[in-house]
Amino acid sequence: VAAFEAFSQAMDCEVVSFAGLDSGRLPDRGRCFVAICTIEKANALVNTLLADGREGELRCFVVDELHMVGEEGRGPVLEAMLTKMMLRAPRCQIVGMSATLPNLPELAAWLDAELYSSDFRPVVLKQYLRVGGGPGKVKGKASLVDDKGCFVREIPSPPDDREGVALLVNEVVPDHGCLVFCPSKTACGGTAKWLAERLGQRAKDAKKAQRAMLLRELAAASSHGAAGPDAALQTVLAGVACHHAGLMAEERKLIEAAYRNRVLCVVCCTSTLAAGVNLPARRVVIKNPYTGPVFLTKSRYLQMSGRAGRAGLDTLGESFLVCSDKDTQRCLQLMKRPVEALESKLLVDEAMERAVLDCLTTQTATTVAGLKRFLTRSLLNVFELKKSPPPPPPSPPPEKTEKPADEQPEAGERAADPKATGSEESAPAARPKALRQEEQATGRPDFPDEVEEQLREVEEMVAAWAGVLDVQTPGGRANPAPTAATDAAGGALGATGRDQTVATAGASRPGLQQNLPANPGLQQNLPANPGLQQNLPANPGLQQNLPANPGLQQNLPANPGLQQNLPANPGLQQNLPANPGLQQNLPANPGLQQNLPANPGLQQNLPANPGLQQNPPADDPAGDVGVKKERPQTAPPGGGGAGPGSCLLAESAWRLAAAILKKLADGRFLRVGRPGGEGADDAEAASIEDLLEDGASVLQCTTFGATAFKSGFTSSEATRLRREFRELQENGLVLADDLHMLYHLTPVKSVWGWRLDWERFGKILSGLPPLKRRIAGMVGVSEPFVLQKSAFLSVGQNTASFDEYTCRRFYLALTLTELLNEVPVPDVAAKYGVEKGWLQNVQINSALFCNMMVGFTESMAWSSLQVTMQSYVKRIGCGVRADCAHLTEIPGVQAGRARCLWNAGFKDIGKIAKADPAVLAAKVQQISTRPGKANQAAKFFGQGVAVRVVAAAKVLLAQKVEEKRKELEILEESNAGP
């Protein structure tokens, strides 16, 4: 957002951020804005604009890291959002960007997009492989080879640095930065300590004062400064730091900023730093080609090595992959092979559920046919059709006509004619070499003399019609004159079938030349039909008719306009039974040139000319060759018509969607009914399967289904939560302690995927006060089950899954209770045996989950629960008690500073905004002499911090005043009446 400040001021455009809990407000209607969003927030923003009828305001949609569409988490959300955008906002330009994007043709076809790809890199990146042992396996030496497998040089491999990491790092620091990628968080800390001891003295002595200041800031960031920074972070004094998900967000930001400012010269990190963080690294060292037991993928390798040599930050990039002898060939193949092809993740049941509910909730589809249209435009359909392409449509049988006896070829001629003998493949070889060269030069084969004479007569007729056919179209636009430029552009675009006008076929046939610009499909077919004369032998009816109908030749000069004379020329009409397609066309063809799109007779002939079907109307306003038009308008929301780029729907995609529809209907998330009916979920009139066979069947979300989608829950999660809250309404809620409510606000998705120390849990559970133990029993925590797990005893399988789910969720609720009582994150993490970075992520996810639950209870009309949960959103997000939670609304004020301000007497935002920064800092620092855990946070509350806090409070207060003023204006307008 900060990078867009200058752009915002220059363009008078509002820049809004939508991410996490600190999401901005949607600008007013008609206001130009730039929204910077996460994928989930972008989807919610798009849905809000669709609900308000403001989709027309979206003009450009930029997706960075487009390869995420193939990831399991955010991929289905991104795919459904872009598909929805193409159907509902067709004038919005979609721009996707990625440096590691495979499947380019499929993605371009899905987005109906132009493809721009380049291997140009503004900063040269050199990739190397470091292999243990030299070419002759010399002891104490290692080999360095490039990405082509060519030997570069030998490098030392001392006993205390067998991987050569310290040597590779010391070659560039402190003059340049270096990133060391490690396979795990534990390896990051160990490598940082090990490198800090072996770093060169010049690197250790650089910027000592700035590094000491960084260490103090890390201490302040460690949740109120209560326990100080981790021992692993002490390495910053030597210019080395670690960066992984186990650190708190504040610590990671400080390390990133210090590395950008060259205070730190080495960062040991995991793959979390590989994407999205732009750091100036001259050299990247990948310490191991494995992440756990999994070998590196090409995409992950490119993300890591691509951190080196960033444009605008460095002038050269070097990447070193360290591997053992046994992995040498595998690593070389990794460096050479292309990126793994991505696949749509919409085939996963939960992903398809969300896509279907998204489609129905936003009215993108309201019928079965509309849902099929949505799936047809999805990336899933592109890949599924590629796996199982549909059979080609059957081509019509050729018409059998016999030549007159006098035109039958002799036996010798038939033997020389490859078509007569049926050996069409050997036709080129049957002609002499000189004749084949002449055919290639002239663009047509050598016909018999009688056919050549007939063709000359036809060309004379075409020349005579040239002036007649060059008339104005109904739109008032004449056919464009052919030029060399349009010929070249039309030929290039005609191959793709996406141009709107085409160039001419040749300069020696002016009559035909003028007719082609309105028929781009005909141009595509010309390679198989280089000249009209080549088509005559394949049209026996026309060939036989020409010599036997002299009236046709005599009538043409007297026919100033073919379209005018056809009704008055019954002879011509009677003569056409040998060409039925042309006969059907004549009555409805006032001008062949003008009527091609509305030409059903000609349309039946299209199996031999597929490009003709793409032909635009003749009165299309875009007449310039080579200009790509806007994506055409689609059918209105909920319709079932085929949109642009529509094709067949893969059977596998619809089979999964039909199964999901039946599952959602059984779970009361949606209703399926006949058009004009009640939306039946009663299967008396027809079963779900029968209704899904009818494209006009109506699909409608229930209130529960729409609530589950808007809250971001899957069907199983929503069903579980509905059951839990019904039990809560029956059994009651304990409000004397936060623990009961926090159990129900603990994210369901955070329950699994981490290791629970059952022995520690048993000790904590036995030491809980009576009220908390009562709450544990109310939610279903079984103490015998915990004791059995802590003693490694087997448990019964009937309730084991439910009991473990309940215990894990309760354990997380206990950690959240500690955080809401303002216990520092590092202290809570140490008590419960978890990583502080992981615990902080649980805290953030719990705040988001609480926000989702507020919307869920509001939609379900559970008002009392909604009000209670609303009070926990800010408290969970910041980890504070209820008394000073409102102070955390000030940007930069977290739990520790909020408590310091409260204890110093600054208990509301207005008082802080009016305070003198010097006085504010002095009063807060006086608290450091009092006993209490907030003392350490008060020590770091200097005058500079006070200046920032006062300025932020003034901005926040001004925003609140403006919001109240707008509310007052709306109230006055409503009271004024008409």
Side-chain angles (χ1 to χ4, degrees):
V1 177
F4 274 86
E5 289 182 358
F7 174 84
S8 174
Q9 297 175 359
M11 304 300 295
D12 189 22
C13 177
E14 187 173 353
V15 179
V16 191
S17 173
F18 291 87
L21 293 175
D22 300 327
S23 296
R25 182 183 58 85
L26 184 65
D28 297 332
R29 187 183 296 270
R31 170 73 172 161
C32 177
F33 68 93
V34 174
I36 302 174
C37 322
T38 60
I39 292 178
E40 294 82 5
K41 290 292 185 178
N43 191 44
L45 178 62
V46 169
N47 290 344
T48 301
L49 292 173
L50 292 177
D52 295 343
R54 299 175 59 182
E55 62 269 21
E57 297 182 21
L58 290 173
R59 295 304 176 90
C60 186
F61 200 87
V62 181
V63 182
D64 194 13
E65 308 294 349
L66 184 59
H67 58 266
M68 287 193 300
V69 76
E71 297 180 359
E72 291 188 0
R74 294 177 166 181
V77 179
L78 179 59
E79 178 179 347
M81 176 174 60
L82 293 179
T83 304
K84 184 170 53 182
M85 290 283 296
M86 289 186 286
L87 292 174
R88 297 295 302 275
R91 292 187 178 276
C92 179
Q93 182 185 24
I94 298 175
V95 180
M97 301 182 295
S98 175
T100 59
L101 190 64
N103 307 63
L104 292 175
E106 289 87 349
L107 290 172
W110 168 50
L111 295 174
D112 190 24
E114 298 291 344
L115 179 60
Y116 299 91
S117 61
S118 173
D119 57 359
F120 170 74
R121 201 176 193 274
V123 178
V124 177
L125 174 62
K126 297 181 179 180
Q127 303 179 53
Y128 300 100
L129 185 65
R130 191 266 186 195
V131 185
K137 305 289 183 181
V138 180
K139 187 175 181 181
K141 295 289 185 180
S143 299
L144 202 64
V145 298
D146 60 15
D147 54 350
K148 297 180 178 61
C150 300
F151 175 76
V152 178
R153 60 184 171 96
E154 284 185 352
I155 56 177
S157 180
D160 62 340
D161 186 18
R162 294 191 179 277
E163 295 173 333
V165 176
L167 175 67
L168 294 173
V169 169
N170 280 316
E171 286 180 351
V172 294
V173 297
D175 299 324
H176 303 284
C178 182
L179 297 177
V180 180
F181 283 98
C182 303
S184 65
K185 291 176 283 189
T186 304
C188 279
T191 303
K193 292 180 182 178
W194 180 82
L195 274 177
E197 297 173 358
R198 289 162 177 79
L199 211 61
Q201 194 61 39
R202 192 164 69 94
K204 289 181 180 180
D205 295 339
K207 302 186 177 181
K208 284 188 174 182
Q210 293 94 322
R211 291 171 183 174
M213 177 62 70
L214 173 63
L215 188 62
R216 289 195 294 270
E217 291 176 347
L218 288 171
S222 295
S223 192
H224 321 169
D230 284 351
L233 295 179
Q234 298 289 340
T235 57
V236 299
L237 295 176
V240 183
C242 57
H243 184 291
H244 52 76
L247 298 178
M248 297 173 58
E250 295 84 358
E251 293 171 335
R252 292 197 298 267
K253 289 180 180 178
L254 287 171
I255 290 172
E256 291 169 11
Y259 182 78
R260 287 193 184 95
N261 296 328
R262 302 299 174 95
V263 175
L264 297 174
C265 51
V266 182
V267 172
C268 301
C269 53
T270 57
S271 57
T272 55
L273 200 69
V277 182
N278 196 14
L279 295 181
R282 165 64 67 91
R283 179 170 291 186
V284 165
V285 179
I286 303 174
K287 192 178 178 182
N288 199 316
Y290 291 89
T291 302
V294 182
F295 195 78
L296 276 179
T297 62
K298 179 67 173 185
S299 177
R300 181 60 60 87
Y301 169 74
L302 289 178
Q303 292 286 352
M304 290 181 177
S305 60
R307 299 300 100 189
R310 307 295 287 176
L313 301 176
D314 220 322
T315 58
L316 177 66
E318 295 176 314
S319 170
F320 292 83
L321 176 59
V322 180
C323 73
S324 60
D325 290 332
K326 66 182 181 67
D327 291 323
T328 302
Q329 292 302 320
R330 196 174 181 184
C331 290
L332 283 174
Q333 292 174 3
L334 172 69
M335 299 169 72
K336 294 177 182 178
R337 70 170 180 245
V339 182
E340 298 85 359
L342 62 82
E343 294 184 356
S344 171
K345 300 302 180 183
L346 212 57
L347 275 176
V348 183
D349 286 358
E350 292 184 356
M352 181 61 78
E353 281 181 11
R354 182 169 181 81
V356 169
L357 290 176
D358 190 351
C359 194
L360 300 183
T361 304
T362 58
Q363 300 291 303
T364 302
T366 57
T367 63
V368 171
L371 181 60
K372 287 184 176 181
R373 175 170 167 261
F374 173 82
L375 293 173
T376 298
R377 294 290 287 128
S378 67
L379 180 63
L380 168 66
N381 193 55
V382 174
F383 287 138
E384 290 302 303
L385 286 178
K386 185 179 179 181
K387 292 177 183 177
S388 302
S395 57
E399 297 181 2
K400 294 184 178 180
T401 56
E402 296 184 0
K403 296 183 179 181
D406 57 348
E407 295 185 10
Q408 293 291 339
E410 298 296 334
E413 295 177 359
R414 284 198 302 269
D417 186 2
K419 293 185 178 180
T421 59
S423 60
E424 224 172 284
E425 296 180 357
S426 60
R431 296 187 181 91
K433 180 178 180 181
L435 183 56
R436 292 201 307 270
Q437 292 177 351
E438 181 182 356
E439 290 174 3
Q440 294 175 359
T442 59
R444 71 181 194 185
D446 187 19
F447 289 106
D449 294 338
E450 60 272 14
V451 177
E452 290 285 355
E453 183 178 356
Q454 293 173 6
L455 292 177
R456 282 195 298 271
E457 293 175 356
V458 172
E459 290 181 347
E460 292 174 1
M461 298 174 197
V462 172
W465 294 344
V468 177
L469 293 179
D470 191 13
V471 294
Q472 294 287 328
T473 62
R477 176 170 56 87
N479 292 327
T483 63
T486 57
D487 191 19
L493 291 173
T496 65
R498 299 181 62 177
D499 54 330
Q500 304 301 320
T501 57
V502 297
T504 61
S508 61
R509 298 166 65 185
L512 184 61
Q513 187 177 12
Q514 296 175 8
N515 193 33
L516 279 177
N519 188 355
L522 187 57
Q523 188 187 19
Q524 298 176 9
N525 201 30
L526 283 177
N529 184 2
L532 182 62
Q533 58 270 39
Q534 291 184 17
N535 199 31
L536 287 174
N539 190 349
L542 184 60
Q543 190 177 15
Q544 295 172 17
N545 193 32
L546 283 174
N549 190 359
L552 181 63
Q553 288 180 336
Q554 298 170 9
N555 194 34
L556 284 174
N559 187 356
L562 183 61
Q563 59 273 38
Q564 300 172 9
N565 200 35
L566 282 176
N569 190 356
L572 183 61
Q573 195 171 12
Q574 294 171 8
N575 197 31
L576 285 173
N579 190 351
L582 187 59
Q583 186 183 18
Q584 297 171 13
N585 192 32
L586 284 174
N589 190 357
L592 182 61
Q593 193 175 10
Q594 303 170 10
N595 200 38
L596 281 176
N599 187 348
L602 189 57
Q603 199 170 9
Q604 297 173 8
N605 229 5
L606 282 177
N609 187 3
L612 188 58
Q613 201 167 7
Q614 304 172 7
N615 213 14
D619 59 350
D620 198 298
D624 294 334
V625 176
V627 178
K628 182 182 181 299
K629 293 190 172 182
E630 280 188 329
R631 191 181 291 111
Q633 294 287 346
T634 60
S646 62
C647 56
L648 295 176
L649 176 60
E651 182 181 355
S652 57
W654 175 243
R655 189 165 55 245
L656 174 62
I660 294 299
L661 286 172
K662 188 176 185 305
K663 175 184 175 182
L664 293 176
D666 293 341
R668 309 292 181 179
F669 288 88
L670 59 84
R671 291 187 291 268
V672 186
R674 297 289 185 190
E678 296 294 331
D681 51 5
D682 54 345
E684 297 179 1
S687 65
I688 294 294
E689 290 80 2
D690 294 337
L691 291 173
L692 294 181
E693 292 294 328
D694 185 3
S697 296
V698 177
L699 303 175
Q700 181 181 5
C701 267
T702 62
T703 302
F704 179 55
T707 300
F709 166 72
K710 292 178 181 178
S711 302
F713 299 134
T714 64
S715 60
S716 58
E717 292 171 349
T719 303
R720 180 192 291 271
L721 291 172
R722 180 172 59 179
R723 183 177 64 250
E724 287 182 358
F725 280 108
R726 284 177 176 172
E727 294 175 357
L728 189 63
Q729 289 177 329
E730 294 175 0
N731 301 330
L733 177 67
V734 177
L735 296 177
D737 195 293
D738 292 330
L739 180 60
H740 199 186
M741 177 56 74
L742 288 176
Y743 173 84
H744 293 285
L745 296 179
T746 301
V748 178
K749 294 180 180 178
S750 298
V751 171
W752 306 101
W754 52 282
R755 179 183 174 275
L756 174 59
D757 188 343
W758 290 98
E759 185 178 0
R760 186 191 299 265
F761 184 25
K763 293 179 181 178
I764 293 175
L765 186 61
S766 61
L768 291 177
L771 181 59
K772 284 184 168 58
R773 298 189 69 175
R774 178 190 165 201
I775 294 173
M778 291 178 65
V779 300
V781 174
S782 172
E783 291 192 39
F785 177 82
V786 176
L787 293 176
Q788 286 178 327
K789 294 288 288 186
S790 61
F792 301 100
L793 300 176
S794 61
V795 295
Q797 297 298 321
N798 294 333
T799 60
S801 178
F802 173 76
D803 287 340
E804 185 170 354
Y805 167 84
T806 305
C807 290
R808 285 176 167 274
R809 197 174 183 191
F810 185 76
Y811 194 79
L812 293 179
L814 289 174
T815 63
L816 292 177
T817 305
E818 300 269 10
L819 293 176
L820 263 64
N821 286 325
E822 300 180 8
V823 180
V825 173
D827 296 351
V828 178
K831 178 179 179 180
Y832 288 87
V834 294
E835 293 179 339
K836 59 182 180 179
W838 177 85
L839 180 59
Q840 190 181 47
N841 288 334
V842 171
Q843 179 184 2
I844 295 172
N845 292 334
S846 299
L848 294 173
F849 184 81
C850 181
N851 200 27
M852 293 159 57
M853 289 301 303
V854 171
F856 186 80
T857 52
E858 181 182 7
S859 300
M860 297 300 292
W862 298 337
S863 303
S864 57
L865 281 174
Q866 176 198 348
V867 174
T868 306
M869 291 180 177
Q870 183 68 53
S871 63
Y872 279 88
V873 176
K874 203 68 180 178
R875 291 187 59 197
I876 297 175
C878 297
V880 293
R881 295 189 181 96
D883 54 357
C884 63
H886 62 285
L887 296 182
T888 58
E889 297 180 18
I890 303 174
V893 175
Q894 299 299 326
R897 288 178 179 174
R899 179 55 58 192
C900 290
L901 291 170
W902 178 273
N903 293 340
F906 298 92
K907 298 185 178 182
D908 60 81
I909 299 175
K911 189 172 183 180
I912 296 174
K914 296 177 182 178
D916 180 79
V919 175
L920 179 64
K923 289 188 176 182
V924 170
Q925 286 181 349
Q926 289 177 2
I927 304 174
S928 62
T929 59
R930 305 177 190 174
K933 287 189 175 181
N935 299 346
Q936 300 296 328
K939 287 182 180 179
F940 297 97
F941 201 100
Q943 188 167 349
V945 175
V947 170
R948 293 194 295 270
V949 169
V950 170
K954 291 180 179 179
V955 173
L956 178 62
L957 193 64
Q959 292 176 352
K960 287 181 174 292
V961 170
E962 181 65 19
E963 291 176 1
K964 293 296 182 182
R965 186 186 63 79
K966 289 184 177 180
E967 291 178 3
L968 183 61
E969 290 178 355
I970 295 175
L971 183 62
E972 290 176 350
E973 292 177 0
S974 61
N975 291 336

